[in-house]
């Protein structure tokens, strides 16, 4: 078993903008073999494969294998490398990026990709009609506000200079822009395929990725087949991937032990964790990876009683985080703020809300709820999340809050959170893992105003315009010499978020998974920090 965690030095470096050209430092695995197929299991079906929409555990790495963006990451790392753009230039003021596209890249439908596809794709994700949960990531692009307000049909800052050149102008310098261009949301799609499929594009995806969708039997399986015309030479290694859905994690583990499954997509079931680790033969197949992760309870600040900050603070004080961490066999550390400890900008001296049931009762009484109140706590129905929700339910009951648990499939919880109909949500199974190692990534989609929209991932619907302005100020510090000042401002922002108690952060979890004996490739690919949970493009079978 190997433990894979990006170093603090690397994370700190990535938190500062880099004006030097990102290069591809990946060295191909000399032992890699081409061909073969593998089986991956998941408990829940996949909601969508539309890169503008998909944002959950199952579909993130699937989408990465179907689509590409202008930028990418070196496999198994958070190091940027060029994607569909073979090179780029940045103006001295940090406001204009000019990307040269790779020639000869084709979509799965056979048409060659051009600069116009980039213009269309980025404007599509920021079109309010698309209801993309990732729209807020693109707020630095010129014309974003006008498009979001319905005053423009596209991003004025994105233009096709010629068929192989795209120019993107920013309204402000932004230290995270190249990372944003590597997100799934920035994937390039063909307009004709999107328009032909309409609302079904998420089930009829067409991209430039290393795999293409061959079959999707709802509730049973998805089958990806190798894109033989893929533009990156030598990958993917696999001919086919079958994703079997509707598989309970415990059953998936048994099937892996029997040689029927290659990777359990939901990881090692918590109830079986100690058993697996005690068996040397099984423990040898375990891969452990550090995660930039936070599990939290959201409270919808637009609904009574959670529109009262004292109620939200009381919830923070009511939850026994140490006890909840033990439910997952200590595979996490208690959280006192949204950012995980290894994230740049983490406030070392911030103590958060101590476990204090009596103090919570006093705050509830002060808020006018001395007798408590009733509410609902939504949770994904995959173990251990219902058990964690029950522990939170017990903690809340101890201070007078009666929370009925709504245990649902992941897609249903996500839908309720985006629609703002869930008073409280335990984020487990959907909890935040950074898209890239920068404190901005923990803010805009899940705490910023841009994410507090219909379909967004800011399930607390928390919108503090003053903090949004500070976040913009922080990310405008694009000079590497201002990196420390920028991180200090982000720490200040998250401290204020905790004062407002938009969340109750609970723990920071690490990732444990397994792979069958026939699976090849570096362990880092199975806990890839970007292609969560597995980088399918670079793993292979050895037999």
């Amino acid at each position: 078993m190997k433990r894979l965690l990006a170093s603090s030095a690397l994370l700190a470096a990535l938190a500062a903008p880099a004006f030097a050209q990102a290069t591809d430092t990946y060295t191909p695995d000399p032992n890699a073999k081409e061909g073969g197929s593998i089986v991956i299991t998941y408990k829940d079906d996949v909601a969508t494969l539309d890169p503008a929409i998909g944002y959950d555990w199952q579909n993130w790495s699937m989408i990465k294998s179907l689509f590409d963006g202008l930028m990418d990451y070196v496999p198994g790392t958070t190091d940027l490398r060029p994607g569909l753009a073979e090179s780029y230039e940045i103006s001295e003021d940090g406001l204009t990026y000019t990307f040269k596209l790779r020639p000869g890249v084709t979509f799965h439908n056979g048409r060659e990709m051009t600069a116009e596809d980039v213009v269309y794709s980025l404007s599509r994700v920021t079109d309010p009609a698309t209801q993309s949960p990732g729209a807020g990531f693109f707020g630095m692009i010129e014309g974003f506000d006008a498009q979001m307000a319905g005053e423009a049909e596209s991003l004025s800052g994105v233009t096709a200079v010629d068929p192989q050149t795209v120019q993107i102008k920013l309204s402000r310098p932004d230290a995270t822009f190249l990372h944003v261009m590597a997100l799934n949301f920035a994937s390039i799609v063909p307009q004709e395929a999107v328009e032909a499929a309409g609302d079904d594009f998420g089930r009829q995806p067409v991209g430039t990725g290393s795999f293409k969708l061959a079959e999707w039997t709802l509730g049973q399986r998805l089958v990806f087949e190798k894109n033989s015309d893929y533009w990156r030479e030598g990958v993917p290694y696999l001919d086919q991937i079958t994703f079997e859905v509707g598989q309970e994690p415990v059953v998936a583990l048994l099937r892996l032990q029997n040689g029927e499954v290659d990777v359990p997509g939901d990881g090692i079931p918590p109830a079986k964790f100690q058993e697996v680790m005690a068996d040397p033969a099984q423990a040898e197949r375990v891969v452990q990876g550090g995660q930039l992760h936070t599990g939290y309870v959201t409270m919808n600040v637009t609904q009574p009683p959670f529109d009262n900050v004292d109620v939200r603070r009381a919830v923070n004080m009511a939850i026994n985080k140490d006890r909840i961490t033990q439910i997952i066999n200590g595979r996490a550390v208690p959280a006192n703020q949204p950012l995980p400890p290894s994230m740049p900008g983490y406030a070392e001296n911030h103590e958060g809300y101590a476990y204090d049931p009596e103090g919570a009762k006093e705050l509830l009484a002060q808020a006018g709820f001395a007798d408590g109140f009733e509410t609902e706590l939504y949770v994904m129905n995959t173990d251990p999340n219902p058990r964690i929700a029950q522990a939170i339910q017990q903690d809340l009951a101890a201070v007078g809050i009666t929370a009925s648990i709504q245990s649902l499939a992941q897609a249903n919880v996500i839908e309720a959170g985006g629609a703002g109909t869930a008073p409280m949500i335990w984020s487990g199974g959907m909890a935040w893992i950074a898209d890239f190692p920068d404190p901005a990534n923990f803010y805009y989609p899940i705490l910023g105003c841009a994410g507090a929209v219909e379909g967004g991932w800011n399930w607390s619907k928390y919108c503090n315009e003053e903090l949004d302005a500070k976040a913009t100020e922080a990310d405008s510090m694009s000079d590497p010499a201002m990196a420390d000042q920028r991180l200090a401002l982000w720490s200040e922002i998250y401290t204020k978020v905790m004062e407002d108690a938009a969340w109750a952060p609970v723990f920071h979890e690490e990732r444990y998974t397994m792979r069958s004996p026939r699976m090849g490739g570096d362990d880092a690919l199975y806990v890839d920090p970007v292609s969560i949970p597995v980088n399918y493009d670079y793993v292979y079978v050895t037999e």
Side-chain angles (χ1 to χ4, degrees), residues 168-244:
I168 301 179
K169 293 184 177 180
L170 310 186
S171 57
R172 60 180 187 274
D174 194 291
T176 69
F177 177 68
L178 288 177
H179 285 291
V180 170
M181 290 297 101
L183 290 175
N184 282 2
F185 300 115
S187 297
I188 309 307
V189 299
Q191 182 173 358
E192 71 275 14
V194 174
E195 293 179 348
D199 292 339
D200 288 332
F201 183 69
R203 298 193 184 278
Q204 302 172 28
V206 178
T208 61
S210 60
F211 288 93
K212 49 188 176 182
L213 180 65
E215 176 192 341
W216 189 344
T217 304
L218 294 180
Q220 296 182 37
R221 65 183 173 275
L222 297 87
V223 180
F224 286 10
E225 65 179 22
K226 179 176 182 174
N227 176 10
S228 58
D229 296 320
Y230 190 49
W231 55 272
R232 279 199 194 277
E233 185 177 355
V235 291
Y237 300 122
L238 296 169
D239 288 334
Q240 181 175 291
I241 306 173
T242 298
F243 301 95
E244 296 186 1

Side-chain angles (χ1 to χ4, degrees), residues 274-511:
Q274 292 180 334
E275 175 186 318
V276 167
M277 299 306 293
D279 180 352
Q282 292 192 74
E284 186 180 4
R285 313 311 314 166
V286 173
V287 183
Q288 177 186 0
Q291 296 187 119
L292 294 171
H293 165 280
T294 302
Y296 51 92
V297 176
T298 65
M299 294 164 276
N300 191 327
V301 302
T302 67
Q303 296 181 7
F306 297 117
D307 56 348
N308 188 310
V309 67
D310 283 335
V311 171
R312 303 195 300 270
R313 289 171 178 165
V315 169
N316 272 272
M317 296 164 66
I319 297 175
N320 187 340
K321 301 172 184 178
D322 290 319
R323 180 169 72 104
I324 292 173
T325 298
Q326 291 309 308
I327 292 175
I328 58 171
N329 301 303
R331 296 186 297 173
V333 295
N336 61 21
Q337 58 190 285
L339 293 183
S342 54
M343 174 68 83
Y346 178 82
E348 294 283 351
N349 298 322
H350 182 74
E351 296 181 356
Y353 296 94
Y355 174 54
D356 184 1
E358 292 305 314
K361 290 178 183 178
E362 292 177 8
L363 278 180
L364 288 173
Q366 180 177 312
F369 296 97
D371 297 325
F373 58 87
E374 296 182 359
T375 188
E376 292 180 327
L377 174 61
Y378 283 62
V379 60
M380 178 180 166
N381 60 4
T382 300
D383 187 66
N385 297 305
R387 290 190 289 127
I388 292 174
Q390 289 169 3
I392 295 171
Q393 180 188 48
Q394 293 167 6
D395 288 342
L396 295 177
V399 300
I401 300 173
T402 302
S404 64
I405 294 176
Q406 304 298 315
S407 183
L408 305 170
Q410 182 190 64
N412 298 116
V413 179
I414 292 172
E415 181 181 7
T421 56
M424 304 180 75
I425 298 175
W426 161 243
S427 70
M430 308 158 293
W432 199 253
I433 301 175
D435 303 288
F436 50 85
D438 189 282
N441 186 230
F442 264 75
Y443 181 80
Y444 294 108
I446 51 177
L447 286 165
C449 295
V453 296
E454 179 77 20
W457 274 69
N458 182 345
W459 297 339
S460 287
K461 304 304 177 185
Y462 171 75
C463 176
N464 185 321
E465 293 182 355
E466 180 182 342
L467 289 190
D468 263 26
K470 285 182 177 293
T472 299
E473 179 186 351
D475 284 346
S476 294
M477 298 177 183
S478 58
D479 184 346
M482 301 180 69
D484 289 343
Q485 183 180 342
R486 177 175 179 266
L487 293 180
L489 183 53
W490 271 116
S491 295
E492 179 184 323
I493 290 167
Y494 284 109
T495 298
K496 176 58 178 174
V497 167
M498 288 308 300
E499 288 179 12
D500 289 346
W503 285 1
V506 178
F507 58 56
H508 307 296
E509 187 176 6
E510 292 212 328
R511 168 79 173 152

Side-chain angles (χ1 to χ4, degrees), residues 38-236:
I38 63 173
V39 175
I40 313 289
T41 60
Y42 286 106
K43 180 180 184 295
D44 290 328
D45 204 349
V46 176
T48 180
L49 291 174
D50 185 340
I53 305 297
Y55 208 15
D56 59 48
W57 181 261
Q58 289 102 320
N59 66 21
W60 190 255
S61 57
M62 293 184 190
I63 289 171
K64 276 209 171 296
S65 289
L66 295 172
F67 298 88
D68 297 299
L70 295 177
M71 299 297 294
D72 190 17
Y73 291 94
V74 175
T77 78
T78 51
D79 298 334
L80 279 168
R81 68 173 179 174
L84 294 175
E86 64 178 4
S87 65
Y88 58 89
E89 295 180 356
I90 309 173
S91 63
E92 289 187 7
D93 60 7
L95 292 175
T96 303
Y97 290 70
T98 303
F99 296 90
K100 280 290 185 182
L101 303 183
R102 297 179 187 274
V105 175
T106 58
F107 290 109
H108 298 154
N109 63 9
R111 180 174 69 76
E112 186 170 348
M113 181 205 67
T114 71
E116 290 294 345
D117 295 305
V118 178
V119 175
Y120 168 75
S121 300
L122 297 184
S123 291
R124 174 178 180 256
V125 78
T126 53
D127 184 344
T130 303
Q131 295 188 17
S132 172
F137 283 119
F138 301 85
M140 78 290 284
I141 298 179
E142 191 175 280
F144 174 83
D145 291 338
Q147 189 181 20
M148 291 297 289
E151 298 169 0
E153 295 184 356
S154 61
L155 290 167
S156 61
V158 184
T159 56
V161 177
D162 59 49
Q164 296 300 121
T165 309
V166 177
Q167 187 176 83
I168 301 179
K169 293 184 177 180
L170 310 186
S171 57
R172 60 180 187 274
D174 194 291
T176 69
F177 177 68
L178 288 177
H179 285 291
V180 170
M181 290 297 101
L183 290 175
N184 282 2
F185 300 115
S187 297
I188 309 307
V189 299
Q191 182 173 358
E192 71 275 14
V194 174
E195 293 179 348
D199 292 339
D200 288 332
F201 183 69
R203 298 193 184 278
Q204 302 172 28
V206 178
T208 61
S210 60
F211 288 93
K212 49 188 176 182
L213 180 65
E215 176 192 341
W216 189 344
T217 304
L218 294 180
Q220 296 182 37
R221 65 183 173 275
L222 297 87
V223 180
F224 286 10
E225 65 179 22
K226 179 176 182 174
N227 176 10
S228 58
D229 296 320
Y230 190 49
W231 55 272
R232 279 199 194 277
E233 185 177 355
V235 291

Side-chain angles (χ1 to χ4, degrees), residues 4-7 10-11 14 22-27 60 64 71-82 179 182-183 232 289-290 292 433-437 522-535 538:
L4 301 152
L5 180 63
S7 70
L10 170 62
L11 295 174
L14 286 170
T23 58
D24 189 350
T25 60
Y26 181 71
T27 301
W60 190 255
K64 276 209 171 296
M71 299 297 294
D72 190 17
Y73 291 94
V74 175
T77 78
T78 51
D79 298 334
L80 279 168
R81 68 173 179 174
H179 285 291
L183 290 175
R232 279 199 194 277
L292 294 171
I433 301 175
D435 303 288
F436 50 85
D522 193 90
D523 279 357
L525 299 172
Y526 294 87
V527 284
D528 193 300
V530 176
S531 293
I532 298 167
V534 179
N535 190 320
Y538 290 85

